[in-house]
Amino acid sequence: MKTRFITFLLLFVMNLGAFAQSPYQPAEENLKARQEFQDNKFGIFLHWGLYAMLATGEWTMTNNNLNYKEYAKLAGGFYPSKFNADKWVEAIKASGAKYICFTSRHHEGFSMFDTKYSDYNLVKATPFKRDIVKELAAACAKQGIKLHFYYSHLDWAREDYPWGRTGQGTGRSNSKGDWKSYYQFMNNQLTELLTNYGPVGAIWFDGWWDQPKSFNWELPEQYALIHKLQPGCLVGNNHHQTPFDGEDIQIFERDLPGENASGLSGQEVSRLPLETCETMNGMWGYKITDQNYKSTKTLIHYLVKAAGKNANLLMNIGPQPDGELPAVAVQRLAEMGEWMKQYGETIYGTRSGIVAPHDWGVTTQKGNKLYVHILDLKDAALFLPLTGKKVKKAVLFKDQSPVRFTKTKAGVLLEFAEVPKDIDYVVELTID
C-alpha cells in the first residue's frame, strides 16, 4: 500500500513538473507583431461608452453608486449622430499615430459592438443601431491603421460577475456572482471580437486589480483562446504587475517604465514590448468640466520620453456623446502630426539609445544612428558618456547642419551656438 502511494505521489509530482515546464511559446506571427508594435511607437486610446452621456468620466457609475438598471436607461437615448469612423481615423492618422485602442466594453458593462451574448449593446439597446466597432474596423483597414480592443475584466452591471472592490453600490443582488457563467460570457465576446472584425492588433485587458490577488481569473486559458483565434494578436493586461505568462506586451498606466509617480506602475520592467498610457486632458472618458488639455509641447515630450525608455505611447481621448472627437483634441493631434512629419524618423522603428535618460532628455537609436533628444538643457553644451563608441559625425537633425563635438576618454562633448530652445532639439550622431 505504501509503495503504491509513493508511486502515485511521484507520478503526480512529475505531471505537475511537466505542466510547469510548458510556458507560453509565442507563434512566429506574434513575434513579428511584437516587433511591428515596437516600431509603431504611437497609438491613440479611445474611451467611449454610455458614460459619455453623463459627461462626468468613465467611473461615474461606481463613483456615484448608480443603480445598474437605472443606468441602463441611458442606452435608450444614446444617438451619436455626428459619429463618423472615417473622420476619426483620418484625424488620428494625421497625428502620426499608427494604431487605435478602442473600448469595446468598459467597466459599466455596455458593449460597444453587436454581440449576440447580451442585448445590452449598441445595436440592440440604442436607437443608433449601428455597430461602431465594425465601422471603425473598416475605416482603420482602409487607412492602414491597426485596431486594438480594450476589454474590461470586471462588470458593474452583470449579476454573474462576483463583487470586487468596485461597483458594490450599483444594485447587483448576488455578491458571489456566477464565475463560470461570467467567464464563458467574456470568452464568447472575445471570440466575436477576434472573429467578426478582421485582424486585431491587441487585446488590452483591464480590471484584474478589482479582485484579491488570490482570485483565479483563469487567464492562461483565456490568453490561449486569443492566440488560437489570432496568433498575431498581442495580449496586454493593465494589472499593474510584472507580466504574466501568456502576455505579449507590458502596460504602464500614467507613468513611464521605471517611474511610479501615479502609484500604479511600481512593477519591474520586463523584456516584453512596453506601452505607457496617458490622458490628453485629465480623464479617460469624456468629462465636460475637464478642459485642462496638455499642451502640444507636453504631449510631444511624453512621446519622446516614452521612446527613450523603449516604450510606446498610448494617448487617450474621450469622444463626446454626439460622436465627435473634442475639437481641442483634434487640434492637438494635428499639431503632433506636424512635428512627427519632421521628426518621425527619430521615433518610428527606434529603440532606447545607449545613453540613458537624463533630466535634459533621452536618446533613441536605429542602426548606427543615435538621436539625442534635448528637451530641457540650460547650457550651450552637453556631455554624453559614450565610452567604447566612436562618433564619426554629428549634425542637427532638422537641417543636417554640423554640430561641433570634442572626443574625450569618457565620451563626447557637444557644443552649440546657443542654448537649445526647440521643443525637441535633436542631434543625430553617426556612431561606430
Side-chain angles (χ1 to χ4, degrees), residues 68-294:
Y68 78 91
K69 292 180 181 178
E70 293 298 314
Y71 187 92
K73 294 176 183 178
L74 290 170
F78 189 62
Y79 196 90
S81 60
K82 296 183 179 180
F83 171 72
N84 185 310
D86 289 321
K87 285 186 177 180
W88 275 21
V89 177
E90 183 180 343
I92 289 168
K93 185 175 182 178
S95 74
K98 299 295 186 181
Y99 61 95
I100 292 170
C101 185
F102 181 75
T103 50
S104 63
R105 176 176 150 272
H106 204 264
H107 309 326
E108 65 176 2
F110 185 72
S111 298
M112 296 293 286
F113 63 102
D114 187 13
T115 172
K116 66 181 181 181
Y117 296 101
S118 170
D119 289 343
Y120 192 42
N121 71 69
L122 193 64
V123 175
K124 295 183 179 71
T126 78
F128 195 57
K129 298 193 179 303
R130 284 163 53 187
D131 189 341
I132 282 173
V133 168
K134 184 177 182 180
E135 294 180 28
L136 194 57
C140 284
K142 184 166 63 177
Q143 300 194 47
I145 297 294
K146 289 277 188 180
L147 182 60
H148 300 184
F149 291 132
Y150 169 109
Y151 191 83
S152 175
H153 264 141
L154 67 92
D155 194 308
W156 296 325
R158 287 185 65 93
E159 290 283 358
D160 55 0
Y161 173 68
W163 285 17
R165 69 176 183 86
T166 67
Q168 295 186 13
T170 60
R172 291 174 297 143
S173 59
N174 182 11
S175 62
K176 293 183 179 180
D178 182 344
W179 172 249
K180 184 178 180 180
S181 168
Y182 182 68
Y183 184 69
Q184 187 61 54
F185 163 74
M186 288 195 297
N187 288 342
N188 287 340
Q189 285 207 318
L190 289 167
T191 299
E192 288 180 316
L193 289 170
L194 291 160
T195 303
N196 300 337
Y197 300 100
V200 176
I203 297 292
W204 204 100
F205 286 113
D206 193 20
W208 178 92
W209 34 260
D210 194 52
Q211 298 288 345
K213 289 188 176 181
S214 59
F215 186 85
N216 182 13
W217 287 94
E218 299 183 68
L219 294 179
E221 297 83 1
Q222 193 168 71
Y223 292 170
L225 171 66
I226 293 168
H227 291 133
K228 179 182 178 182
L229 292 168
Q230 291 198 27
C233 179
L234 305 177
V235 172
N237 197 322
N238 188 35
H239 44 44
H240 310 149
Q241 308 292 310
T242 50
F244 302 153
D245 190 49
E247 294 173 8
D248 304 300
I249 61 174
Q250 183 175 7
I251 296 167
F252 298 84
E253 182 175 353
R254 292 190 185 274
D255 268 308
L256 295 170
E259 301 179 8
N260 193 24
S262 69
L264 300 172
S265 300
Q267 68 268 38
E268 292 183 10
V269 180
S270 74
R271 298 176 66 88
L272 291 177
L274 312 175
E275 180 185 70
T276 183
C277 59
E278 180 57 280
T279 55
M280 191 176 280
N281 50 358
M283 297 294 292
W284 300 100
Y286 179 70
K287 185 176 181 180
I288 198 168
T289 58
D290 182 12
Q291 297 300 316
N292 187 28
Y293 283 83
K294 297 172 180 65

Side-chain angles (χ1 to χ4, degrees), residues 314-329:
L314 183 62
M315 180 58 62
N316 181 77
I317 298 170
Q320 298 169 174
D322 65 0
E324 288 193 320
L325 301 178
V328 179

Side-chain angles (χ1 to χ4, degrees), residues 42-90:
F42 184 29
I44 295 297
F45 215 169
L46 296 172
H47 272 71
W48 203 32
L50 295 181
Y51 44 82
M53 297 177 71
L54 298 179
T56 51
E58 75 291 345
W59 273 56
T60 194
M61 186 178 180
T62 188
N63 288 346
N64 295 289
N65 289 326
L66 303 178
N67 183 282
Y68 78 91
K69 292 180 181 178
E70 293 298 314
Y71 187 92
K73 294 176 183 178
L74 290 170
F78 189 62
Y79 196 90
S81 60
K82 296 183 179 180
F83 171 72
N84 185 310
D86 289 321
K87 285 186 177 180
W88 275 21
V89 177
E90 183 180 343

Side-chain angles (χ1 to χ4, degrees), residues 14-15 34 39 114 228 353 375 408:
M14 288 172 65
N15 285 333
R34 292 184 187 190
D39 289 344
D114 187 13
K228 179 182 178 182
L375 307 176
T408 71

